[in-house]
Amino acid sequence: MNSLFDRIPDVLIRGIGNGCVFGDKAFSQIHQSEPRFFDSAYSYGLRSRIHDKAIQFYLDERLADNAFIQIDKKDVGFGNRVLFISGKDYLITPCHVSQLDVLPCPAKYKKNAATGNPGNELYQLSLFTPPVSKTFTNVYFVLSTYFDGNNTIPKLVMPNNNFTEILDSRPIFSEFVSEDETTYQERIMPKLISEVEKEHEQGNG
């Protein structure tokens, strides 16, 4: 059977890997700037939300210049904007997951996007109607981003058309960041609060 994942270009896979690495670095610096704030009772749930947005920001930055990939930022309700990555026959949205190999929390936009996906009979269909990939003109994938506290583990996940089960998934490896890109990342990152305070003290010394 022709894999439905084959329609996602390698350049997009590399861009996703890079974006996740950069998002982790950004979140790490933000957290280091004032860890007490992020660890306080007032910030419950805020860490994962900020990390999620750091990933989306760098995915947007790394993919925006590719002519074959369309990037949209859509308001999905309650002031929450989500990154939509699409090509001619696929749609991907990055979603935080609290544990590996599970679907993210359901939301209306995810359920609506998945209605054109295969059902649970996908592999049975593949035996009788090859190639299955031509049967589905636009497939919705979730980019699940699990954060272990240090690094993001990204996976492309294909939900069924009811958004209740995972039909298949593919890992995305994040070792695509070159030394030059890492240097660029460090250069554009904001200074930590502690670094600014030290410079201020030295300037007044």
Side-chain angles (χ1 to χ4, degrees):
M1 136 180 164
N2 289 350
S3 171
L4 293 167
F5 288 88
D6 289 347
R7 61 185 64 191
I8 302 174
D10 290 341
V11 65
L12 175 52
I13 299 297
R14 290 193 294 272
I16 289 173
N18 284 339
C20 288
V21 170
F22 289 169
D24 287 346
K25 288 179 177 292
F27 176 78
S28 177
Q29 288 209 14
I30 294 170
H31 182 263
Q32 289 175 36
S33 69
E34 187 49 84
R36 295 178 304 160
F37 169 75
F38 287 96
D39 295 335
S40 74
Y42 299 105
S43 303
Y44 178 77
L46 188 60
R47 290 180 62 181
S48 62
R49 183 70 177 266
I50 291 177
H51 176 263
D52 187 34
K53 295 308 174 184
I55 294 292
Q56 290 188 42
F57 174 82
Y58 280 100
L59 287 175
D60 187 337
E61 184 177 81
R62 303 301 293 175
L63 302 173
D65 293 335
N66 192 298
F68 300 101
I69 299 169
Q70 183 173 341
I71 299 294
D72 294 300
K73 293 172 278 290
K74 296 184 180 180
D75 192 332
V76 295
F78 303 102
N80 182 28
R81 290 193 171 184
V82 174
L83 180 70
F84 283 71
I85 306 166
S86 59
K88 67 174 183 178
D89 51 8
Y90 64 85
L91 171 67
I92 302 171
T93 55
C95 302
H96 169 80
V97 291
S98 57
Q99 54 184 309
L100 289 170
D101 301 318
V102 299
L103 283 172
C105 296
K108 186 176 180 180
Y109 75 91
K110 299 171 194 172
K111 291 181 177 180
N112 289 342
T115 55
N117 278 22
N120 294 348
E121 74 285 359
L122 171 65
Y123 294 105
Q124 183 179 356
L125 282 173
S126 68
L127 297 175
F128 302 102
T129 58
V132 168
S133 59
K134 292 184 178 180
T135 307
F136 302 96
T137 56
N138 193 56
V139 175
Y140 172 59
F141 300 94
V142 171
L143 170 60
S144 71
T145 53
Y146 173 75
F147 186 56
D148 65 6
N150 295 301
N151 301 294
T152 295
I153 303 174
K155 278 190 176 183
L156 276 177
V157 173
M158 181 171 60
N160 66 354
N161 52 13
N162 293 319
F163 203 80
T164 55
E165 294 183 25
I166 294 175
L167 296 178
D168 203 354
S169 64
R170 294 287 186 275
I172 294 177
F173 300 103
S174 300
E175 58 261 27
F176 297 101
V177 182
S178 70
E179 186 174 334
D180 290 341
E181 289 175 317
T182 302
T183 302
Y184 165 75
Q185 169 66 11
E186 292 173 350
R187 187 171 67 250
I188 66 172
M189 289 304 301
K191 294 180 180 179
L192 301 179
I193 291 175
S194 59
E195 294 173 337
V196 175
E197 291 175 343
K198 185 176 181 180
E199 290 177 358
H200 181 70
E201 291 173 358
Q202 291 174 344
N204 294 333

